[in-house]
Amino acid sequence: MSPITSLFNQLPPDETLFENIAVALEQQGYVILPNALPDTVTDGLIDYLAEVQDSHFHPAAIGRGDDQTHNTFVRRDRIHWLDEENSKGDVWFRWTRDLRHYLNRRLLLGLFSFESQFAHYQPGDFYKKHVDAFRGQANRVLTLVTYLNRGWEPDQGGELVIYQETGEELARVTPSFGSLVIFLSEEFPHEVLPALRDRYSVAGWFRINNSIGNRIDPAR
Ligand code: OGA
Ligand code: MN
């Protein structure tokens, strides 16, 4: 084993995961890692989700600020924004902050903040092909998605389909427990196919600071 390899093997586990993410983002702009989120992080998210339950989910708005609309032709899922003040989110927010700092150091991305939401898709719900950020106005730089569904079977649908900008399909992701998907928000159109069972995901966005003078970035 070379000195460099042995040094790499001695890094704490998250650093290895973070480095794998950085390399993939650098090379192809996206990464899919089955069953990758550490147990401590998924445990925290499961506790948080149990607290929120269905009564605190609401239809997702599309667009930001005054442009917000509820378009059930585009997306049918219901969402709940995670609150950084809620202690049940501590492990999740710490892990995403560590990842953000790592990627900033490693890829000089200048990621400034992070926001995330639980999404609940009931059987038949979908989210049509979309991008998470638009060129020029984008302050969402990186999208992160993870899943909280145990025992997802291949015939249960609900895949996340990721496309190239040119339209070709790049990948289909089964929404299995702890799988991690990260991609450049402007570059990869994607969609959620209808599922046969309840589907829980957590989507998060790393943002650059887009405040201009006194104009604070619009509320979501
Ligand atoms: C989103 C999204 C993907 C998923 O919420 O913007 O694309 O697999 N989610 O839940
Ligand atoms: Mn999306």
Side-chain angles (χ1 to χ4, degrees), residues 71-89:
N71 184 340
T72 53
F73 294 106
V74 176
R75 70 184 296 185
R76 287 277 168 83
D77 58 320
R78 295 167 70 84
I79 60 132
H80 178 90
W81 286 99
L82 281 81
D83 179 0
E84 275 199 71
E85 305 295 313
N86 188 325
S87 63
K88 293 211 162 65

Side-chain angles (χ1 to χ4, degrees), residues 30-105:
Y30 75 97
V31 62
I32 299 162
L33 297 163
N35 191 22
L37 203 63
D39 289 345
T40 50
V41 185
T42 48
D43 287 351
L45 287 172
I46 288 285
D47 279 357
Y48 198 146
L49 182 62
E51 179 184 296
V52 174
Q53 293 185 333
D54 277 354
S55 53
H56 298 283
F57 278 78
H58 58 83
I62 297 170
R64 298 180 81 81
D66 294 339
D67 299 331
Q68 288 194 353
T69 52
H70 298 278
N71 184 340
T72 53
F73 294 106
V74 176
R75 70 184 296 185
R76 287 277 168 83
D77 58 320
R78 295 167 70 84
I79 60 132
H80 178 90
W81 286 99
L82 281 81
D83 179 0
E84 275 199 71
E85 305 295 313
N86 188 325
S87 63
K88 293 211 162 65
D90 282 353
V91 186
W92 168 248
F93 283 110
R94 200 178 324 126
W95 188 83
T96 54
R97 189 197 56 212
D98 290 349
L99 174 61
R100 181 165 64 81
H101 290 165
Y102 191 92
L103 295 177
N104 281 345
R105 278 200 305 277

